[in-house]
Coordinates of all heavy atoms in Angstrom, one line a residue:
Chain B
M19 N 36.3 20.4 23.1 CA 35.5 19.3 23.7 C 34.1 19.8 24.1 O 33.1 19.2 23.7 CB 36.2 18.8 25.0 CG 36.6 17.4 25.1 SD 35.7 16.3 23.9 CE 36.2 14.7 24.4
S20 N 34.1 21.0 24.8 CA 32.8 21.4 25.2 C 32.0 22.1 24.1 O 30.9 22.5 24.2 CB 33.0 22.4 26.4 OG 33.9 23.5 25.9
D21 N 32.6 22.1 22.9 CA 32.0 22.7 21.8 C 31.0 21.7 21.1 O 30.3 22.0 20.2 CB 33.1 23.1 20.8 CG 32.8 24.5 20.4 OD1 31.9 25.2 20.9 OD2 33.6 25.0 19.5
N22 N 31.1 20.4 21.6 CA 30.3 19.4 20.9 C 28.9 19.3 21.5 O 28.8 19.1 22.7 CB 31.0 18.1 20.9 CG 32.3 18.1 20.1 OD1 32.3 18.8 19.1 ND2 33.3 17.3 20.5
A23 N 27.9 19.3 20.7 CA 26.6 19.1 21.1 C 26.2 17.6 21.3 O 25.6 17.3 22.3 CB 25.6 19.7 20.2
I24 N 26.7 16.8 20.4 CA 26.4 15.4 20.5 C 27.7 14.6 20.3 O 28.5 14.9 19.4 CB 25.5 14.9 19.3 CG1 24.2 15.8 19.3 CG2 25.2 13.4 19.4 CD1 23.3 15.4 18.1
E25 N 28.0 13.7 21.2 CA 29.1 12.8 21.0 C 28.7 11.4 21.3 O 28.2 11.0 22.3 CB 30.2 13.2 22.1 CG 31.1 14.3 21.7 CD 32.0 14.7 22.9 OE1 32.6 13.7 23.5 OE2 32.1 15.9 23.2
T45 N 30.4 12.7 16.2 CA 30.6 13.9 16.9 C 29.9 15.0 16.1 O 30.2 15.2 14.9 CB 32.1 14.2 17.0 OG1 32.7 13.1 17.6 CG2 32.3 15.5 17.9
V46 N 29.0 15.8 16.7 CA 28.3 16.9 16.1 C 28.6 18.1 16.9 O 28.3 18.2 18.1 CB 26.8 16.6 16.0 CG1 26.1 17.8 15.3 CG2 26.5 15.3 15.3
Q47 N 29.1 19.1 16.2 CA 29.5 20.4 16.9 C 28.2 21.2 17.1 O 27.2 21.1 16.4 CB 30.5 21.2 16.1 CG 31.8 20.5 16.0 CD 32.8 21.3 15.3 OE1 32.5 22.0 14.3 NE2 34.1 21.2 15.7
T48 N 28.4 22.1 18.1 CA 27.3 23.0 18.4 C 27.0 23.9 17.1 O 27.9 24.5 16.5 CB 27.6 24.0 19.5 OG1 28.1 23.2 20.6 CG2 26.4 24.7 20.0
G49 N 25.7 24.0 16.8 CA 25.4 24.9 15.6 C 25.5 24.1 14.3 O 25.1 24.7 13.3
E50 N 25.9 22.9 14.3 CA 26.1 22.1 13.1 C 24.7 21.5 12.7 O 23.9 21.1 13.5 CB 27.1 21.0 13.3 CG 27.6 20.3 12.1 CD 28.6 19.2 12.4 OE1 29.3 19.4 13.4 OE2 28.6 18.2 11.6
T214 N 21.5 23.0 17.0 CA 22.2 21.8 16.4 C 21.2 20.9 16.0 O 20.3 20.5 16.7 CB 23.1 21.2 17.5 OG1 23.9 22.1 18.1 CG2 24.0 20.1 16.9

Side-chain angles (χ1 to χ4, degrees):
Chain B
M19 239 342 189
S20 55
D21 232 2
N22 291 330
I24 305 176
E25 278 174 44
T45 307
V46 181
Q47 292 182 326
T48 312
E50 191 182 331
T214 308

